[in-house]
Amino acid sequence: MQFRVEAYYRPQHGDKRELLVAPEDVDELIDSLLAGPIHQNLAELHSLERSTLPSGAPDHELLVGADQSLQVGVLEFMDASGNWTTVGLQEGRTEVRYSCVNHMTEFPAHSEIPIDLIRRAVKEFCLSGGQRPTCVQWENPEFW
């Protein structure tokens, strides 16, 4: 079960992205997000198994957020089909913010899901060659 996914979530990844190649790497990434500073609790992932746009940029993106205090996280997936965010429980937070190297991203209300489901979904993304995970519910928010 090998794959090739680039991750950006720490300042040092600006020059060289971290390479995830096995499911254990996904667990280490999420553990690092959970243990790291609050302004670095969001990662940007790109599968190297997908085609790039004519510009050379990735044709997709998966954002992965992890909140240590609540043991929840959030996912955003973007490709030609649109922007998608996870659907969480209605009693979840209405203000959902995560930060990738000091760049704050707001997510729709009630978009957080349990951290174990985040782990499963990110592994599915990696193992599927960068496809939107099917183990979570998604919505295509109007305003986001």
Side-chain angles (χ1 to χ4, degrees):
M1 293 196 305
Q2 294 285 309
F3 47 79
R4 294 178 46 231
V5 172
E6 285 187 333
Y8 171 71
Y9 60 101
R10 297 289 184 255
Q12 62 267 28
H13 298 147
D15 295 328
K16 184 175 187 221
R17 306 291 165 127
E18 181 172 298
L19 187 62
L20 310 178
V21 297
E24 299 79 29
D25 295 341
V26 172
D27 287 326
E28 289 177 18
L29 162 75
I30 293 170
D31 290 345
S32 181
L33 292 174
L34 289 169
I38 194 157
H39 59 278
Q40 294 177 19
N41 64 355
L42 182 69
E44 178 183 298
L45 305 182
H46 299 107
S47 173
L48 298 177
E49 296 171 35
R50 286 184 61 144
S51 300
T52 58
L53 298 171
S55 67
D59 71 344
H60 69 291
E61 176 177 88
L62 180 69
L63 295 181
V64 181
D67 184 293
Q68 178 184 26
S69 63
L70 299 176
Q71 288 296 298
V72 297
V74 65
L75 297 173
E76 177 269 346
F77 181 82
M78 179 275 305
D79 70 359
S81 70
N83 287 345
W84 302 89
T85 59
T86 43
V87 177
L89 300 174
Q90 285 299 27
E91 56 270 9
R93 291 191 288 185
T94 56
E95 291 188 18
V96 181
R97 295 184 180 106
Y98 288 83
S99 183
C100 182
V101 190
N102 297 320
H103 182 281
M104 183 69 66
T105 300
E106 292 189 31
F107 292 87
H110 314 294
S111 57
E112 292 171 304
I113 59 176
I115 205 69
D116 289 340
L117 194 50
I118 293 288
R119 289 179 193 277
R120 199 165 101 204
V122 175
K123 289 174 186 176
E124 182 182 337
F125 167 82
C126 293
L127 291 166
S128 70
Q131 300 304 306
R132 181 164 42 112
T134 59
C135 67
V136 296
Q137 286 187 301
W138 297 94
E139 68 177 341
N140 189 330
E142 293 177 28
F143 69 91
W144 195 74

